[in-house]
């Protein structure tokens, strides 16, 4: 997963840095580990099980909480410009989870709500990918991305 690559790079370059940046890197590592664990759990759901929809929704609720906690992180000054992306990612994940719940209401499956959920879910992860790319010291190649640099 993308997070494992950044974790490796961050750990290799962490020697002698300030404690704030070290804590931030640990928080990013924890975030990536948690979403990876939840992803694994989601992929292990038995789709034939009567409880599969409830299991999925439970894991998605957990994922939403992880994203909300990520958005609450205080980014170090050199990465402050990424905080809005973290906030947007969390907002999109919350919307995705809401629509996933709507998709599975009353033991039925609403394809329209599921499609909205998929789109919001994709937007949330796209922002995480952009954040990680910037943390790598790279600029994402994304036609939909506009970057505002501060002169402060």
């Amino acid at each position: 997963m993308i997070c494992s690559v950044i974790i490796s790079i961050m750990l290799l370059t962490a020697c002698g840095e300030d404690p704030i940046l070290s804590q931030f890197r640990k928080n990013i590592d924890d975030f990536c580990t948690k979403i990876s664990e939840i992803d694994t759990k989601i992929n292990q759901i038995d789709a034939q099980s009567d409880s599969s929809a409830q299991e999925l929704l439970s894991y998605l609720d957990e994922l939403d909480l992880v994203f909300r906690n990520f958005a609450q992180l205080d980014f170090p000054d050199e990465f402050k410009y990424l905080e809005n992306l973290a906030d947007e990612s969390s907002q999109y994940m919350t919307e995705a989870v809401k629509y996933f719940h709507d998709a599975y209401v009353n033991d039925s499956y609403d394809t329209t709500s599921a499609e909205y959920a998929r789109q919001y879910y994709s937007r949330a992860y796209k922002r995480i990918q952009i954040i990680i790319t910037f943390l790598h010291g790279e600029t994402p190649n994304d036609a939909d991305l506009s970057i505002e640099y501060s002169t402060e």
Side-chain angles (χ1 to χ4, degrees), residues 25-96:
R25 290 176 192 263
K26 182 189 177 316
N27 291 338
I28 295 293
D29 179 33
D30 291 347
F31 170 73
C32 290
T33 299
K34 288 174 186 171
I35 63 173
S36 179
E37 289 169 353
I38 294 168
D39 182 59
T40 298
K41 291 175 187 177
I42 288 172
N43 288 320
Q44 291 176 343
I45 294 173
D46 176 6
Q48 304 304 316
S49 168
D50 290 339
S51 64
S52 62
Q54 285 306 323
E55 283 181 74
L56 173 63
L57 294 175
S58 175
Y59 291 138
L60 289 171
D61 289 340
E62 187 179 340
L63 188 62
D64 186 28
L65 179 60
V66 169
F67 270 70
R68 281 189 271 141
N69 289 337
F70 178 68
Q72 296 300 314
L73 288 180
D74 187 25
F75 283 55
D77 289 341
E78 58 264 45
F79 299 116
K80 274 292 188 213
Y81 65 98
L82 297 173
E83 280 189 353
N84 285 341
L85 283 173
D87 293 342
E88 288 177 10
S89 178
S90 174
Q91 292 164 358
Y92 283 132
M93 184 55 70
T94 297
E95 286 298 310

Side-chain angles (χ1 to χ4, degrees), residues 57 96-106 108-110 113-114:
L57 294 175
V97 171
K98 174 193 164 298
Y99 279 108
F100 274 121
H101 276 273
D102 290 348
Y104 288 100
V105 75
N106 297 327
S108 65
Y109 183 73
D110 177 26
S113 292

Side-chain angles (χ1 to χ4, degrees), residues 3 20 24 45 80 82 90 97 119 122 131 135 144 152:
C3 287
I20 293 172
F24 177 68
I45 294 173
K80 274 292 188 213
L82 297 173
S90 174
V97 171
Q119 289 176 18
S122 177
I131 289 169
L135 292 175
D144 296 332
E152 296 176 15

